[in-house]
Amino acid sequence: MSDPYSSRTPVHEQVVGGFGTVRVLPLDPGADAAVIHRWVGEERAVFWGMTELTEQQVAAVYAHMAALDTHHAHLVVRDGEPVALLQTYEPEADRVSECYDVRPGDIGVHLLLAPAGPGGGQPGWTARLVAVIAAYVLLGLDRRRVVVDPDVRNEKAVARFLGLGFAPGPVVVLPEIDLPDVYLPEKKAQLAFLDRELMFPG
């Protein structure tokens, strides 16, 4: 089967034994909108806040993000199959900065995993994928610490991050943002942090 993503230049590529080749590609708002729209439209992605959007609206959201210097979206592909949507951002340019003391070297991450395939979730699958993403964010981008801010009601996401070694931070209320180009409702979030030294000692 041909890989429709093979012509695209990754910002990170890593071969993981027994898992496959993982490539982190800059998101193409037009080409990738159909895949992302399918993911964010599912009930399990309700906390992503895009369940009601059309494919064209999803494309517009990511076209807007592509114009920013502080927020970046990526499609994570494993052996030619899209497996996750990764967003990285500068915490000081985000509403999360109003809720904790941003340190030099911090980077914010939002991660939406693709739905499990017909065989269901595989043990260790998420951990191996996140290890690759952590390598890109912490080593490739030379950052000291990852911050995540899942909705406190999203118990699966909170448990997943803590299970992967993230240290829990405070529960905070991210303020509403109401701008012409973006609207984000107020969100009660569980902050969690992953230090580079913990993930990649030495």
Side-chain angles (χ1 to χ4, degrees), residues 1-201:
M1 188 177 75
S2 63
D3 176 358
Y5 301 97
S6 59
S7 63
R8 290 163 61 174
T9 303
V11 293
H12 182 79
E13 183 169 345
Q14 193 170 329
V15 178
V16 181
F19 187 68
T21 300
V22 180
R23 304 169 76 230
V24 181
L25 308 173
L27 189 78
D28 182 323
D32 299 330
V35 169
I36 301 304
H37 177 252
R38 192 166 68 244
W39 293 352
V40 300
E42 295 187 344
E43 183 60 31
R44 69 183 186 91
V46 65
F47 297 110
W48 202 258
M50 299 173 75
T51 48
E52 303 300 318
L53 299 190
T54 65
E55 184 178 320
Q56 291 72 25
Q57 288 171 320
V58 168
V61 166
Y62 286 103
H64 171 71
M65 188 178 294
L68 303 176
D69 293 329
T70 54
H71 293 62
H72 302 281
H74 304 86
L75 188 70
V76 184
V77 177
R78 169 183 169 250
D79 291 343
E81 282 291 318
V83 291
L85 169 62
L86 168 68
Q87 293 175 199
T88 61
Y89 62 92
E90 303 299 335
E92 62 268 24
D94 190 86
R95 61 181 177 166
V96 74
S97 65
E98 299 182 36
C99 302
Y100 89 104
D101 292 327
V102 180
R103 292 185 196 164
D106 278 1
I107 187 166
V109 163
H110 297 304
L111 181 65
L112 178 66
L113 299 176
Q122 301 169 351
W125 193 95
T126 300
R128 284 186 282 185
L129 183 67
V130 168
V132 173
I133 292 169
Y136 164 60
V137 172
L138 291 168
L139 302 179
L141 298 180
D142 192 23
R143 297 307 182 101
R144 306 300 309 179
R145 187 172 68 156
V146 173
V147 56
V148 294
D149 61 359
D151 192 299
V152 291
R153 297 168 298 168
N154 191 353
E155 295 174 359
K156 278 189 176 179
V158 173
R160 180 186 298 128
F161 284 125
L162 299 183
L164 291 168
F166 280 73
V171 172
V172 299
V173 177
L174 302 182
E176 176 189 56
I177 293 179
D178 192 0
L179 298 172
D181 291 323
V182 61
Y183 173 74
L184 295 171
E186 183 178 272
K187 181 174 99 171
K188 191 175 184 181
Q190 169 68 64
L191 298 188
F193 302 91
L194 182 67
D195 288 311
R196 184 164 78 184
E197 289 72 17
L198 180 71
M199 194 76 184
F200 304 103

